[in-house]
Amino acid sequence: MGNHGSSHGIRGTSFDFSSARSDWPLQFHTTHGEHIELSANRTRSRRKDSFCKGICFSHRPVAINEKIYINFVETSGSWSGVLRFGFTSVDPATVRGEDLPKYACPDLTNRPGSWAKALGERYASGNILLCYYVTRSGDVYYSVNGEEKGLFFGGVNTTGPLWVLLDIYGNTVTIEFCQPDSMPLNNMIRSSSGSSVSLQEQQHITSFSSLNISSSDGQPQPLLPLLRHHQNVEFTLAQLHKLQGKNIQISHDRTIATRIREEYCNAYVFASRPLRCGEKIVIQVLGVERSYVGGLAFGFTACDPLTVTATDLPDDSDLLLDRPEYWVVNKDVCRHPEMGDELSFFLTNDGEVLYSRNNSKVSTLMHVDRTLPLWPFFDVFGNVQKIRVLGVTVPHNQRLLRNTRATSYAGQGLTVNLPSPPLEQTTLPGNNQAPMMRSFSVPSTVFNQTPGSPVFPTGSSASQLVSVQSKDNNPVLDNDANECTVCYEKPANAVLYTCGHLCMCYECAMAVKGEKSALCPICRQQIKDVIKIFRT
């Protein structure tokens, strides 16, 4: 199916991809292999001889994420092998049936524009309903009898129209296109009214409250899941900033973010204000899209969202770390979400970010520079398709610390608490002001100090060994809390140049430094050198 000129005889008009109508029932194209015969309505295709020459196509292009249902009508036990299925970007109307090869795999798949793979031998029997579709990213997912099997293959070019490609091979003899409502699946149950409802649909229905919620303009809103893990929590309203990714839509009250269904990335949303130390922001998963892999991304930035435009936001959130401002991000936070999941992100007074799903196991996502104003942000990525911001709360044991913030003074080797400024005063300096200094947590004896000047390690190349001793003549490293933030086994005994953070053991620091674009795990500044610290 490579070059198909006029010598092949164009027997129809090529479809424009925009004309792919997923609401039109699929039929088989009149172009097909030598051993194929079609039913009168062209919804059924049968291989009448041998085990090969059974290639056939759909009569129209299919849409992205359009689900193709194939019913196995007749099978055989005389051969080996089963149906091959996939997609082609070559219009079947430009091909003659007698020019089609014996096999789709590898004869067609070795040519540009066709992608297919064989179904497993265990599906050689009848009474099988196959469903598959292609995503915008070119990944093909499939299910058998309503059971999701996951990713089948990838690499499909989705920039142009795609037709269904089928090879009725081996023990597969007759197949037909069918509508999902016409076939009972093994995950269907009967409702009290006698109609079929899938288990997933029933779980979706029963997880929602029975209360109608109205917006400020009086229009009814979709029903929202009940809170199960934060029902007695007192939340402060948290709205989403007007800065957003190109593939996200935000509700009128700016609390619900929905990714465009045919997209899987660049669905950024930001909180309307920075999160203070001691505060927790909680969201709820309202939509799940199983056809995508990967999960929600979460991070912080000291960059005021007002200074960023939507075109500045990359498809891959890792690229945010290349920006000059302070950004930290953790991808795939919730890789296997369920409808109604409640996800919390707690910024402690020590700059540690704790994550919990449904108030169960708590894990550490990252450590951040607690001295900076930190706007939380999400990328509604992959299989998380819709979220709702429940609000911001302060855990009970943190309420007394609400009005304080921790500030590090590297020049004195101290960490003190100072009153927090009002929220509206917590802003980044403008372009005409001095750049904001990142926090330094290393003791003063590591640096040459000049009062009133920034603090940097001695010398342009900080490869010398440094001995550090605390004020009371006890080694700084005796502090039990001062452990490596990478291995959590050895004490931190390595200072990073140029940021000055003391957060890793020497072995881990050298390993991180050896990586491409090595960054400090605390402040994300580039690691230019590692200084080993010895006890005295």
Side-chain angles (χ1 to χ4, degrees), residues 422-459:
L423 178 61
E424 56 272 12
Q425 297 179 15
T426 311
T427 57
L428 287 175
N431 294 331
N432 297 325
Q433 296 176 274
M436 178 176 290
M437 291 296 298
R438 304 272 176 90
S439 65
F440 296 97
S441 57
V442 67
S444 59
T445 51
V446 177
F447 303 102
N448 286 339
Q449 297 116 29
T450 301
S453 65
V455 186
F456 295 96
T458 305

Side-chain angles (χ1 to χ4, degrees), residues 164 391 403 505:
V164 173
N403 295 320
C505 67

Side-chain angles (χ1 to χ4, degrees), residues 195-252:
S195 60
S196 296
V197 182
S198 71
L199 294 176
Q200 288 183 341
E201 290 172 342
Q202 188 196 48
Q203 292 168 357
H204 176 80
I205 293 170
T206 56
S207 66
F208 282 74
S209 69
S210 59
L211 299 177
N212 283 322
I213 299 176
S214 297
S215 63
S216 57
D217 57 5
Q219 296 298 318
Q221 298 296 309
L223 299 178
L224 298 174
L226 292 170
L227 295 185
R228 295 188 298 165
H229 307 281
H230 295 84
Q231 64 268 38
N232 297 320
V233 174
E234 178 184 351
F235 285 113
T236 301
L237 177 65
Q239 292 181 308
L240 297 172
H241 199 277
K242 62 182 180 181
L243 173 66
Q244 63 189 70
K246 65 181 181 180
N247 296 327
I248 198 77
Q249 296 174 336
I250 298 178
S251 63
H252 178 73

Side-chain angles (χ1 to χ4, degrees), residues 5-290:
S6 57
S7 61
H8 283 178
I10 297 178
R11 299 188 294 115
T13 303
S14 179
F15 282 89
D16 180 12
F17 190 56
S18 62
S19 68
R21 291 288 303 273
S22 59
D23 55 337
W24 290 358
L26 282 175
Q27 295 176 317
F28 287 99
H29 201 282
T30 53
T31 298
H32 51 72
E34 179 181 343
H35 292 162
I36 289 294
E37 60 180 12
L38 304 178
S39 63
N41 61 3
R42 289 196 286 144
T43 61
R44 181 172 293 193
S45 179
R46 181 178 184 272
R47 191 187 72 245
K48 61 185 178 182
D49 195 12
S50 184
F51 64 94
C52 59
K53 296 186 178 181
I55 295 175
C56 48
F57 310 93
S58 61
H59 79 296
R60 64 165 174 84
V62 294
I64 297 298
N65 291 322
E66 178 183 351
K67 293 187 175 180
I68 300 128
Y69 291 89
I70 307 292
N71 182 33
F72 286 42
V73 178
E74 181 184 358
T75 58
S76 170
S78 303
W79 311 99
S80 62
V82 195
L83 180 78
R84 280 89 163 113
F85 63 93
F87 297 93
T88 181
S89 61
V90 179
D91 187 344
T94 64
V95 184
R96 296 189 305 175
E98 54 266 33
D99 294 330
L100 291 172
K102 288 184 177 182
Y103 316 108
C105 305
D107 294 349
L108 281 184
T109 55
N110 282 343
R111 304 177 188 179
S114 294
W115 305 266
K117 187 178 174 182
L119 191 63
E121 287 278 356
R122 62 187 180 278
Y123 301 121
S125 62
N127 298 320
I128 284 178
L129 179 65
L130 169 70
C131 173
Y132 74 101
Y133 59 94
V134 63
T135 67
R136 177 69 66 184
S137 59
D139 293 329
V140 176
Y141 290 83
Y142 79 114
S143 64
V144 175
N145 290 340
E147 181 181 353
E148 296 291 340
K149 300 298 182 181
L151 180 67
F152 193 49
F153 63 86
V156 178
N157 185 346
T158 60
T159 59
L162 292 171
W163 285 260
V164 173
L165 166 60
L166 299 165
D167 186 358
I168 306 176
Y169 178 86
N171 284 324
T172 305
V173 177
T174 305
I175 61 173
E176 67 178 353
F177 286 124
C178 62
Q179 299 300 310
D181 296 336
S182 64
M183 291 295 297
L185 304 181
N186 63 358
N187 71 335
M188 289 288 185
I189 59 175
R190 290 288 173 181
S191 66
S192 58
S193 61
S195 60
S196 296
V197 182
S198 71
L199 294 176
Q200 288 183 341
E201 290 172 342
Q202 188 196 48
Q203 292 168 357
H204 176 80
I205 293 170
T206 56
S207 66
F208 282 74
S209 69
S210 59
L211 299 177
N212 283 322
I213 299 176
S214 297
S215 63
S216 57
D217 57 5
Q219 296 298 318
Q221 298 296 309
L223 299 178
L224 298 174
L226 292 170
L227 295 185
R228 295 188 298 165
H229 307 281
H230 295 84
Q231 64 268 38
N232 297 320
V233 174
E234 178 184 351
F235 285 113
T236 301
L237 177 65
Q239 292 181 308
L240 297 172
H241 199 277
K242 62 182 180 181
L243 173 66
Q244 63 189 70
K246 65 181 181 180
N247 296 327
I248 198 77
Q249 296 174 336
I250 298 178
S251 63
H252 178 73
D253 62 358
R254 309 202 69 80
T255 61
I256 297 177
T258 307
R259 190 182 70 243
I260 298 173
R261 187 163 294 278
E262 293 186 357
E263 303 295 341
Y264 68 96
C265 65
N266 206 315
Y268 299 97
V269 289
F270 294 76
S272 60
R273 69 163 177 87
L275 195 69
R276 302 185 184 96
C277 287
E279 288 185 330
K280 177 193 293 187
I281 186 169
V282 185
I283 67 169
Q284 187 178 42
V285 177
L286 295 186
V288 175
E289 180 51 75
R290 301 293 185 192

Side-chain angles (χ1 to χ4, degrees), residues 328-364:
V328 289
V329 65
N330 192 307
K331 299 167 73 173
D332 290 343
V333 171
C334 187
R335 194 172 181 84
H336 303 287
E338 299 293 340
M339 288 286 296
D341 275 351
E342 298 164 26
L343 313 179
S344 63
F345 304 84
F346 176 37
L347 176 59
T348 72
N349 285 280
D350 296 323
E352 184 178 15
V353 180
L354 303 178
Y355 163 73
S356 177
R357 177 180 177 181
N358 296 327
N359 271 344
S360 56
K361 182 180 179 181
V362 177
S363 58
T364 300

